[in-house]
Amino acid sequence: MSKPGEPRWPSPWGEGRPGWHIECSVMASEILGAQIDVHVGGIDLAFPHHDNELCQSEAHFENHQWVNYFMHAGHLNIEGLKMSKSLKNFITIKEALNKYSSRQIRTLFLLSQWNKPLFFDAKSMEEAIVIEKSLSNFFANTTALLREFRLCQSESDARRHTLAPELDLLEALKDAKSQVHSALLDSFDTPTAMRAIQEIVSRTNTYLQRGRDNIDLQIVQTVVEYVSRIMRVFGMSNESSALGWGSSAASSDGQGVADRESILLPVARVLSDFRDVVRELALSGGDKQALLKLCDKIRDSDLPELGVIIDDHGDGRALVKIADPEEIQRDRERQEAEIAQRLLTKQLQAQKAEEKCQGRLAKGKQSPEEMFRTPEMLELYSAWDEHGIPTKDKAGEELTKNKVKKLAKEYDAQKKLHEKYLESLNA
């Protein structure tokens, strides 16, 4: 029935209006007809809303299955509570992207089962960031190695290294493919699929630690191609053939890939400046430390701003990796924030320890012989032994053995504090 002020139409039961359920039934039927393959909605709509839709539509079309499959998604929870405008914990995608990258947010989604609650909070995002970062490092390291391999292929002995470590890695890749396939067949179980991806990435990273001269990069490429393909399936990259995350094919102004000069000139300028300073140092007889600091500067500051990462390896040969300058900057800011937070925590702990120490020293000013003879204590006790430990209460009654034992412990504790206090005066 219609409430006052609402639209109304005559019916056998009085004047009323269509309800929420019939509105959805009519709209869906108008567009999709007498049968729908997949019907989605939040888990809170399963009953009574979707049940009502079924009853209405199946009665209208006189069939027994209006919908083949229902997919009820879990709620988005912000800091443990369902996201709701009424709770004022509503976060838009635009707001989330101000703090996290789109790939980090997508990683969070993949780590959660689609039909279960998704928890969006600092702890969950921290886990997503760590996993996304591990994948980014994996892609950066492997694509750099593969690029280097292609450039230096003429110097290679062209031998395949298919020994026990390579066979183990191939078997691990086979297991990963099987686990990912089974997980996605099981109601799109992306968390399990992501765990399988993390495992093969970890196994490959371990394999890479054998060093350039002891790995088979063709097998590594097979792993990278598979992980890249699954990431594309998951919407983490939109490039159909690139390894890893790929590269942005268009600039923000839509002009497409930058020309050769705009790509090479900034890097060339950095290298030219580096050469100028090295030359000046050499001519002036500069020391090795100045040269090493200059090398650190180009590695840690100049090139990262251009999206170039130089990763020093134990064999003396650095690995050159290409990354998004904005991501490098975000990682640097996050690391600086973590360092600042650790420093602040350390300072607060030191301050707390100092305050505690000062408090103990202040308490230790009083000698143990006088601690039970203060005006407050004179209201409780009437007799003391040779050390100043009470033996009788105010009424003159002997204290119990347990009470005397407890007071003696307090005396010993105060004696130690007083000794520390006296030592601080002599320090």
Side-chain angles (χ1 to χ4, degrees):
M1 304 298 289
S2 296
K3 296 178 181 178
E6 291 182 340
R8 60 188 64 218
W9 289 266
S11 75
W13 308 278
E15 291 191 340
R17 61 174 178 81
W20 175 35
H21 312 302
I22 195 66
E23 287 176 342
C24 293
S25 299
V26 170
M27 289 187 291
S29 299
E30 175 68 18
I31 296 171
L32 300 174
Q35 192 168 53
I36 299 174
D37 192 24
V38 180
H39 192 321
V40 301
I43 187 63
D44 55 327
L45 300 181
F47 177 85
H49 182 55
H50 288 161
D51 281 359
N52 272 279
E53 284 189 62
L54 284 173
C55 293
Q56 294 161 351
S57 300
E58 289 177 0
H60 173 74
F61 291 113
E62 296 184 351
N63 65 20
H64 297 289
Q65 188 163 316
W66 182 53
V67 174
N68 291 334
Y69 303 98
F70 273 104
M71 297 183 69
H72 294 112
H75 288 144
L76 175 58
N77 289 267
I78 308 295
E79 301 296 341
L81 297 174
K82 176 185 172 183
M83 188 172 78
S84 168
K85 286 186 177 180
S86 62
L87 295 176
K88 297 182 179 180
N89 64 347
F90 194 87
I91 297 178
T92 65
I93 294 176
K94 185 176 181 179
E95 290 170 340
L97 288 173
N98 287 332
K99 189 172 183 180
Y100 305 107
S101 71
S102 59
R103 202 158 58 224
Q104 290 167 349
I105 295 174
R106 287 189 177 103
T107 302
L108 175 67
F109 294 163
L110 291 170
L111 296 177
S112 304
Q113 185 72 19
W114 68 271
N115 58 351
K116 293 182 179 178
L118 169 64
F119 294 93
F120 184 87
D121 52 36
K123 184 177 180 181
S124 299
M125 281 307 307
E126 183 178 343
E127 179 186 2
I129 289 171
V130 168
I131 292 174
E132 188 267 346
K133 180 64 176 176
S134 70
L135 288 169
S136 294
N137 287 338
F138 171 72
F139 287 140
N141 289 330
T142 52
T143 52
L145 283 169
L146 291 168
R147 186 186 309 112
E148 182 183 90
F149 173 72
R150 287 192 293 271
L151 291 173
C152 304
Q153 202 163 17
S154 60
E155 305 172 10
S156 171
D157 59 10
R159 289 183 300 177
R160 296 292 299 274
H161 301 274
T162 311
L163 303 173
E166 287 71 34
L167 294 175
D168 288 344
L169 184 58
L170 287 171
E171 187 65 26
L173 176 60
K174 180 180 177 182
D175 290 343
K177 289 181 176 181
S178 176
Q179 291 172 29
V180 170
H181 186 68
S182 297
L184 297 182
L185 287 179
D186 185 13
S187 191
F188 305 108
D189 185 1
T190 56
T192 297
M194 285 295 289
R195 285 193 292 271
I197 292 296
Q198 288 174 255
E199 176 62 23
I200 188 58
V201 165
S202 176
R203 293 286 295 271
T204 307
N205 286 336
T206 300
Y207 174 73
L208 293 176
Q209 291 175 4
R210 293 169 53 83
R212 288 176 172 87
D213 298 329
N214 298 300
I215 59 176
D216 189 326
L217 281 169
Q218 294 183 51
I219 294 177
V220 172
Q221 179 168 344
T222 302
V223 176
V224 180
E225 288 173 347
Y226 173 71
V227 176
S228 300
R229 182 168 68 84
I230 296 302
M231 291 301 103
R232 288 195 298 272
V233 169
F234 288 162
M236 299 284 276
S237 171
N238 58 5
E239 297 196 21
S240 60
S241 60
L243 294 179
W245 305 132
S247 59
S248 179
S251 60
S252 58
D253 58 4
Q255 295 299 313
V257 178
D259 58 35
R260 183 179 178 83
E261 180 179 340
S262 64
I263 293 174
L264 293 179
L265 188 58
V267 178
R269 185 179 292 114
V270 166
L271 293 176
S272 177
D273 293 342
F274 175 77
R275 174 188 174 277
D276 291 343
V277 179
V278 170
R279 186 170 181 273
E280 184 179 339
L281 280 171
L283 293 174
S284 62
D287 60 11
K288 293 180 180 179
Q289 291 300 320
L291 185 57
L292 290 173
K293 286 182 179 178
L294 188 62
C295 291
D296 289 344
K297 180 177 179 294
I298 196 173
R299 179 195 64 191
D300 299 335
S301 178
D302 298 337
L303 289 178
E305 291 179 0
L306 302 174
V308 180
I309 299 174
I310 297 180
D311 192 0
D312 291 331
H313 280 212
D315 60 5
R317 292 181 292 173
L319 187 64
V320 180
K321 299 184 285 189
I322 306 299
D324 184 349
E326 292 184 2
E327 288 191 10
I328 294 175
Q329 181 61 26
R330 280 195 295 268
D331 287 340
R332 180 181 295 176
E333 291 173 353
R334 184 162 52 249
Q335 290 171 4
E336 290 174 351
E338 291 174 355
I339 293 173
Q341 182 60 46
R342 286 198 296 269
L343 180 60
L344 177 60
T345 300
K346 188 175 181 179
Q347 291 174 341
L348 292 175
Q349 289 174 343
Q351 180 181 345
K352 188 175 180 180
E354 178 63 21
E355 290 174 352
K356 185 177 180 180
C357 180
Q358 292 299 324
R360 290 171 66 88
L361 289 175
K363 186 177 180 182
K365 286 183 179 181
Q366 187 179 57
S367 68
E369 291 79 12
E370 298 296 327
M371 66 180 296
F372 294 116
R373 294 181 182 274
T374 62
E376 293 83 2
M377 293 298 172
L378 293 176
E379 295 295 323
L380 300 175
Y381 308 111
S382 60
W384 297 260
D385 64 12
E386 66 275 13
H387 300 295
I389 299 175
T391 57
K392 295 182 180 180
D393 62 15
K394 183 67 174 175
E397 297 290 333
E398 293 283 344
L399 297 177
T400 64
K401 290 183 178 181
N402 285 339
K403 181 65 175 178
V404 173
K405 187 176 180 180
K406 181 180 179 182
L407 294 173
K409 285 185 177 180
E410 293 180 15
Y411 174 91
D412 291 338
Q414 184 63 27
K415 183 179 179 181
K416 292 180 180 179
L417 289 175
H418 189 61
E419 290 172 352
K420 290 285 185 182
Y421 170 72
L422 295 177
E423 288 176 5
S424 71
L425 295 178
N426 298 324

